[in-house]
Every structure is written in C-alpha cells, then in structure tokens.
Amino acid sequence: MGDSSIADGVNCPVPFSRYDRVQLGHGSGGKMSAALLKERFLPHFSNPALAKLTDAAIVEVAAGRLAVSTDTFVVRPLEFPGGNIGSLAVHGTLNDIAMMGARPRYLSAGFVLEEGLEFEVLDRIIAAMARAAEEAGVPIVAGDTKVVERGKADGVFINTTGIGELDRGFAPAPDLARAGDAVIVSGPIGRHGIAVMAVREGLEFEVEIESDAATLSPLVELLREQVGDAVHVLRDPTRGGVASALNEIAESAGVGVELVEDALPIPGPVRAVCEILGFDPLYVANEGILIAMVEGGSEQNAVAALRAHPLGEEATVVGRVVEAHPGLVAMRTGIGGTRVVDMLPGEQLPRIC
Amino acid sequence: MGDSSIADGVNCPVPFSRYDRVQLGHGSGGKMSAALLKERFLPHFSNPALAKLTDAAIVEVAAGRLAVSTDTFVVRPLEFPGGNIGSLAVHGTLNDIAMMGARPRYLSAGFVLEEGLEFEVLDRIIAAMARAAEEAGVPIVAGDTKVVERGKADGVFINTTGIGELDRGFAPAPDLARAGDAVIVSGPIGRHGIAVMAVREGLEFEVEIESDAATLSPLVELLREQVGDAVHVLRDPTRGGVASALNEIAESAGVGVELVEDALPIPGPVRAVCEILGFDPLYVANEGILIAMVEGGSEQNAVAALRAHPLGEEATVVGRVVEAHPGLVAMRTGIGGTRVVDMLPGEQLPRIC
C-alpha cells in the first residue's frame, strides 16, 4: 500500500487525489465518491448527457425500435495484448447491438472496483474504454461505481449496456438462417481467447498474439449497404467461440451447418498454441470477427463488402447452411472425413470476457 | 459441497439440473450456461423480447426522449428483512428512472455469480427480482451471466440498467430547485440502511426494521397528475442518505436548503439503532422514499397526492429551499440551534446497495 501515510476516508477531508489506490470510501456516495467520479471518470467520459450527473441520463432516439444488450466483463487478467477490460467492455456490447442490424447509439457503464485496485491500472482501463467508445461514436451516457472490500472482487468488473436504433428493412436474426445460405467469417479465428490465455498462463511465444477486440459496426454497415436483405444472420462468436455460435444458430433456425475445415482462417500462431495447450480453436472466444449467413449467390458480394474494411480483409466463406441434420454443425475435415462440432458442456477458457 | 458425487462440467453431459451450486462451467457459454439460463432464469423472467435469446433484445418505444440509468448492486448480506439483492436491483434502477419524471419501460440485468453460490439462494434472488419487475410492469428484456472463481466475488453482484420514456412537460431535475420551494420526503427515513446493517452485524431488536425498498413510480405519477410542473426536483436518497442527496441538489441548483429537525420522519427503532451504533439517520440509505422539491404554495397538494398511496402515507414537509448559503444544507435543531448538514467524506455504511 503506497497510501499508508494518508488517513482513512472518514477522517481525511482533502486531498482525495493523493490516494493511489481505490479505498472503500470511494464507494460511499459521499465526497470521496464524488472526487473519484470527477478526477478519474469524467475527464475521459465527457458528454452532455453524462455531465449532468443526474440519476438517469436523458438521450434522444429517432427510431421507435431499439436493440438493448447487456454484458458484464470479468476477463482475467485485466490487461492483455490488444486491449484491456475497458476497451473489451465497449466493443463487446456494441457488437451485440450491431449483430441485430442496429446502429449503436448509447452505452452505460457500471463498475465494481476492488478496494486496493491501483489507480494507475484503473486510469488505463478508463482511457481505453473512452477511446473505444469515441472511435465507435457512441457516448457513455450513464455510469455507476461501487467498491467492495479487498478479496471480494478481482480488480474490476465492468457491466456495459448498449442501446441501438433499428431501421425496418434490415433485421438479421439467428432463426432466419436458411438452407443454401453461405457461412462467412469476417476474419481470423481464435485471437482474443489465445491472447488472454497466453498472458494468464505466462506463456511467451515468438509471435505475440493480439486480441482481435474491435467494434464490428463498420462491417455491418458495409454488408447492409452492399447486400442488404441477403444477410440472414449476423453473430459475433465470443464466449464459446465459432462452434457454440453456429450450434446456437443451427438450433434456433432448425437447420444444419456444414463447415469446411480447410477454409477456416485460423492463424498459424493460434493453431500452434492450441495444439500445445490442447484447445480447439473453434471454441476459443473472438471479440472482433463476425459470422454472417448470407443468401446463396450473394456470398461473393458479401465477402467483397467485408474485405473493403481493414477488419474484414480476411473475410471468407467457411461453409454452408444445409437442410440435412437440423440443429447440428458438421465439419468436413482436411483428410476427407466428417465430424460433428458439438457445443462444449462446460468451459474451455473461463473468464475470457 | 453437496455435489461432490457429480463429475465436473466438462465430463458430465447431463443432467445439469442436479448441481446445487454454481459451477465455473455455468459461465462458459456452453451447454451448462444454456442450462443455467433455461432452468434458473427464464422460468422467472419470461417475456417475448428476452425469450428470443438473441445478442440484443428488440423493444419498442413511443417517445423520442429516453431516460437511461445503470446501477450495480453489491449489497451484503444478499438477503435482508424486506427484500434481497434481486428486488433491490429492480427497485433501485427503476427509481432512478422515475426520479427524472420518466416512465420506466425496460430493464436489463447482468449477473456476476461466485462459484459455489447455492442455487437455493440464487433462486430466491431471481424470484424476488422477477416479482419486483412484474409488480412495476417493467420487463427484464436483456440479461447476461458470468461466473468467477470462489473468492473472486461475494455471492452475486447484479447490474441493472433501465430505460424510461419521457414526455415533454414533466422534467424535474436537481438544478431546478428554487428558493421558496418546499422540501418534502415521502416516508420514513433510514429503514433500508439500518435493516441491512442489523443483519450484517447480527444485531437483534425487539422490533425488526424492514428495508423500505420499493418502486417509487406510483408516487411520481400521483405528483405529476396532482401538481405537475410545480414539482421542480425529485430524488431518491439512497447511498449517502437524505443529507447527501440534499447537498447534491443544493450544489447543483446553487441554492441553500433549510431542514427542520423535528419535522423529519425518523422511525423510533431507526433512531434507537442509530444512537447505539453512532450513525446519523440523515446519512443512512433509503430505497423506497423520495425527496420532492415543490413550488411554494403547492406543498399541501403534493403531500396530499403522496398520502393517497400506501408508500406515501407518511409524506411530510421537512424544510424549504432558501436563497441564503447556496450549496449548503442547514438544519434547525430541536433545541433551537442551527447546524450544517455536510456531505460525509467517506463511508458510513459500505455496501448498502
């Protein structure tokens, strides 16, 4: 504790800014809470709605139909190559909104801080969060901060809830997959999970694998413009990976999915780490790619649309929706066989997002 | 552990329902996550938007202006007289929406579960949450569940984010307090904080003090109907209590507040416990009362409106907004003096909501 020379919250009136770690008093709703907010959060998260600091933010929406998504992030460690829990919390929720075909408009952020968390770490998390939100053009309009005793959380947990606007006419949904649809992935598989896992386990490799965490809205906009209604399903394969996402879609739409193993864009380093650790990259979390199921015949346009953006440069067709084996995902393997790609019962990688 | 006879998640395909505690695998995004959702959450939280289990829920709003509020609940213990963390998480966020003069429409819920949490406890929390949401007529349309290892959380933390609709013409706000306004509280002060504290400290009293946690929207509707624009400010005095809420309003509006000590509705048992423990009831959290600042002359109508509802039966005028000492809250004490009611620097009662 670098702050041992500073009296505890109740007796020390000022300056709060001299603390270098989160104290229980920062969660009190009193002066220390106000100082935490004003010194740590507001400088990064400034926008008119949040700045009012009222019980609720007032925002405007044009459309009558909204997409609402919530996600709590508990990733461990808090920082990893390619991002941290703050940027991840923004990308993850914005992507859930985007996968409904909606345009993300507003975010809220709720923090649970563990007493003793270093402000230096918190500052980096908040900065990354603010940057991700700004790049996506989506303000964080409402926030909340709680503090729990040392040992009652794990540094910081962040909930983000997103609100997006839907237009009629573009509404992809998992149950709209149809036999004949092409299955497209927008980029390399497995990077987020392996990047986090490598840091957690202290693994070092010649090539550092970075998380792919990114906001997918620009890809969705391109698909919408170029192929529109031919996009039946959009899905970001996060926790549980590509395999779980495809299984959920197959079940939801009552269709089968047939993957072609050799078509899957799995980066060499991801494949290598998976082999060493005994993971299957199909179950590893991604935070910056999407799966699109697109009407047969439109796949070349869809792939071209995705490739027009840096995030989609490696977009490719990896399989097809079929009438056979409804609810099941099968894969034609490189050696000519077929195997079922089931959902895992429990976890391959806990606390990955 | 009552589930020692059951193999761990990865090897045991079925039945997941035989677990009696949360396992890490329940947070995996795989079959165990799906089972947790279907067996524990959906039976309570059924509504068309949530039932689709898509990445984001699709909801409809009529108005173009929305109130958005987020709050994470970390109250300890999880259950207390008058409620539990689940009902509190609903009431707390709905009240923040209501305090803007908005009508709560939708809620999201994000859970962080600690490995080992008994399902029996979780079930009671979910049931209370569902009941509170149903009574308020606000569906929980989006949800998320994460699991962290034993010792990395404290049973369960719940984030709720609420969306409400605003009409033009009724928009109370903290900075609208004006000299001459009457300060009204809608009910007895200090019950939530003392109820939680008593359980936490294992204190037993002849009269059990119950948390006041409740949804305040009906009171807001009554005020809106009966006194409308004469309502300048609404505020629920939660964390930090009545004192902190009034200080924030005074600062925000650049006005002074003068309280009359003898007018404060502090229940005898709350007063007694506060004296024993050395707490000031003005700083104790409430979860089922509101502070209203109402144009001078309208206070009798406002009090009558509140008293028409069981939650507002003890509504009363407790003070007045003044031009003098802007930013300060003063109290005329029972013995004829005046004291400043400042904000506390740190916490009086940590983890109260």
Side-chain angles (χ1 to χ4, degrees):
Chain A
M1 291 289 301
D3 52 8
S4 52
S5 65
I6 304 191
D8 70 20
V10 176
N11 299 319
C12 166
V14 281
F16 302 112
S17 54
R18 284 180 55 203
Y19 291 108
D20 62 1
R21 287 168 186 263
V22 172
Q23 313 289 314
L24 263 187
H26 285 118
S28 64
K31 286 185 185 176
M32 287 178 70
S33 294
L36 177 74
L37 197 64
K38 282 177 190 159
E39 291 171 16
R40 302 283 161 190
F41 287 93
L42 292 185
H44 291 285
F45 291 162
S46 68
N47 60 71
L50 184 67
K52 287 190 166 262
L53 297 182
T54 45
D55 280 331
I58 305 297
V59 301
E60 309 239 351
V61 289
R65 287 172 79 225
L66 302 178
V68 180
S69 187
T70 193
D71 215 335
T72 307
F73 295 82
V74 298
V75 64
R76 183 173 60 86
L78 298 174
E79 302 179 282
F80 45 81
N84 63 32
I85 190 172
S87 51
L88 185 62
V90 170
H91 295 312
T93 290
L94 292 183
N95 289 347
D96 284 341
I97 298 286
M99 293 307 107
M100 305 301 294
R103 293 191 172 96
R105 289 293 310 277
Y106 303 106
L107 274 174
S108 68
F111 295 80
V112 176
L113 307 176
E114 184 186 7
E115 178 190 18
L117 174 70
E118 292 150 314
F119 276 138
E120 213 182 293
V121 175
L122 181 62
D123 288 347
R124 284 199 297 270
I125 290 168
I126 295 172
M129 204 167 173
R131 204 161 45 238
E134 198 186 325
E135 281 170 15
V138 180
I140 295 171
V141 295
D144 178 57
T145 308
K146 294 285 157 48
V147 179
V148 297
E149 302 89 336
R150 206 177 287 266
K152 297 296 182 187
D154 200 7
V156 53
F157 301 142
I158 305 177
N159 174 282
T160 50
T161 302
I163 299 175
E165 288 178 348
L166 273 158
D167 289 346
R168 310 215 174 254
F170 188 67
D175 56 2
L176 297 182
R178 287 205 303 246
D181 286 356
V183 179
I184 296 170
V185 300
S186 65
I189 289 170
R191 289 171 54 201
H192 176 71
I194 294 302
V196 171
M197 201 61 193
V199 193
R200 195 189 296 172
E201 303 298 318
L203 302 176
E204 291 200 14
F205 305 103
E206 277 179 33
V207 187
E208 187 181 64
I209 300 168
E210 283 204 349
S211 166
D212 59 347
T215 295
L216 294 166
S217 290
L219 294 187
V220 175
E221 281 303 309
L222 287 167
L223 284 174
R224 175 205 194 95
E225 283 163 18
Q226 301 298 321
V227 286
D229 283 353
V231 180
H232 296 163
V233 182
L234 291 175
R235 187 66 193 271
D236 57 333
T238 58
R239 191 167 48 160
V242 168
S244 303
L246 290 176
N247 268 282
E248 285 174 22
I249 296 166
E251 194 190 336
S252 167
V255 296
V257 173
E258 206 173 278
L259 291 178
V260 179
E261 186 171 34
D262 289 343
L264 294 169
I266 302 169
V270 168
R271 196 182 292 276
V273 176
C274 281
E275 271 170 23
I276 293 166
L277 298 176
F279 290 145
D280 182 336
L282 280 177
Y283 296 91
V284 173
N286 311 277
E287 294 287 348
I289 65 168
L290 60 79
I291 296 172
M293 295 191 175
V294 174
E295 193 157 293
S298 294
E299 59 263 46
Q300 291 319 318
N301 287 342
V303 166
L306 292 168
R307 288 191 178 169
H309 191 280
L311 281 178
E313 271 171 6
E314 296 183 46
T316 187
V317 175
V318 297
R320 200 153 289 274
V321 179
V322 296
E323 260 180 80
H325 52 80
L328 271 190
V329 179
M331 184 160 72
R332 271 191 285 132
T333 62
I335 53 167
T338 298
R339 72 171 173 94
V340 172
V341 179
D342 199 1
M343 273 180 95
L344 289 187
E347 86 280 9
Q348 178 171 262
L349 296 170
R351 299 193 51 192
I352 211 68
C353 60
Chain B
M1 292 290 300
D3 54 6
S4 53
S5 65
I6 304 192
D8 69 20
V10 175
N11 300 318
C12 166
V14 279
F16 301 111
S17 55
R18 283 179 56 203
Y19 290 109
D20 63 1
R21 286 170 187 263
V22 172
Q23 313 289 314
L24 264 187
H26 285 118
S28 64
K31 285 185 185 177
M32 286 178 71
S33 293
L36 178 73
L37 197 64
K38 281 178 191 160
E39 291 171 17
R40 301 282 161 190
F41 288 93
L42 292 185
H44 291 284
F45 292 162
S46 66
N47 61 71
L50 184 68
K52 285 191 166 263
L53 297 182
T54 44
D55 280 331
I58 305 297
V59 300
E60 309 239 350
V61 289
R65 287 173 80 225
L66 302 179
V68 180
S69 187
T70 193
D71 216 335
T72 307
F73 294 82
V74 298
V75 64
R76 181 173 61 85
L78 298 174
E79 302 179 282
F80 45 81
N84 63 33
I85 190 172
S87 52
L88 185 63
V90 170
H91 295 311
T93 290
L94 293 184
N95 289 348
D96 284 342
I97 297 287
M99 293 308 107
M100 305 302 293
R103 293 193 174 94
R105 290 291 312 275
Y106 302 107
L107 275 173
S108 68
F111 295 80
V112 176
L113 306 176
E114 183 186 7
E115 178 190 19
L117 175 69
E118 291 151 312
F119 276 137
E120 213 181 293
V121 176
L122 181 62
D123 288 346
R124 286 198 297 270
I125 290 168
I126 295 172
M129 203 166 176
R131 204 160 45 236
E134 198 185 326
E135 280 169 17
V138 181
I140 295 171
V141 295
D144 177 57
T145 308
K146 293 284 156 51
V147 180
V148 297
E149 303 89 337
R150 204 177 290 265
K152 296 296 183 189
D154 199 7
V156 53
F157 300 143
I158 304 178
N159 174 282
T160 49
T161 302
I163 299 174
E165 287 177 348
L166 274 159
D167 288 347
R168 308 216 176 254
F170 188 68
D175 56 2
L176 298 182
R178 286 203 304 245
D181 286 357
V183 179
I184 296 169
V185 300
S186 66
I189 290 171
R191 289 171 53 201
H192 176 71
I194 294 301
V196 171
M197 200 62 192
V199 193
R200 195 190 297 172
E201 303 298 318
L203 302 176
E204 291 201 14
F205 304 101
E206 277 180 32
V207 186
E208 188 181 65
I209 300 168
E210 282 204 351
S211 166
D212 59 347
T215 296
L216 294 166
S217 290
L219 294 187
V220 175
E221 281 302 310
L222 287 167
L223 285 175
R224 174 205 195 96
E225 283 164 18
Q226 301 298 321
V227 286
D229 282 353
V231 180
H232 296 161
V233 181
L234 291 175
R235 186 68 191 271
D236 57 333
T238 58
R239 193 167 48 160
V242 168
S244 303
L246 289 177
N247 269 281
E248 284 175 21
I249 295 166
E251 194 191 337
S252 168
V255 295
V257 173
E258 207 173 276
L259 292 178
V260 179
E261 186 172 33
D262 289 342
L264 294 169
I266 302 169
V270 168
R271 198 182 291 276
V273 177
C274 280
E275 272 169 22
I276 293 166
L277 298 176
F279 290 144
D280 182 338
L282 280 177
Y283 296 92
V284 173
N286 310 277
E287 294 286 349
I289 65 169
L290 60 78
I291 295 172
M293 294 190 176
V294 174
E295 194 156 292
S298 293
E299 58 264 47
Q300 292 318 318
N301 287 342
V303 166
L306 291 168
R307 288 192 179 168
H309 191 278
L311 280 178
E313 271 171 6
E314 296 183 46
T316 188
V317 176
V318 298
R320 201 153 288 275
V321 179
V322 295
E323 260 180 78
H325 52 78
L328 271 190
V329 179
M331 184 160 72
R332 270 192 285 134
T333 61
I335 54 167
T338 297
R339 71 171 174 94
V340 171
V341 179
D342 199 3
M343 274 180 95
L344 289 187
E347 86 280 9
Q348 177 171 262
L349 296 170
R351 299 195 50 195
I352 210 67
C353 59

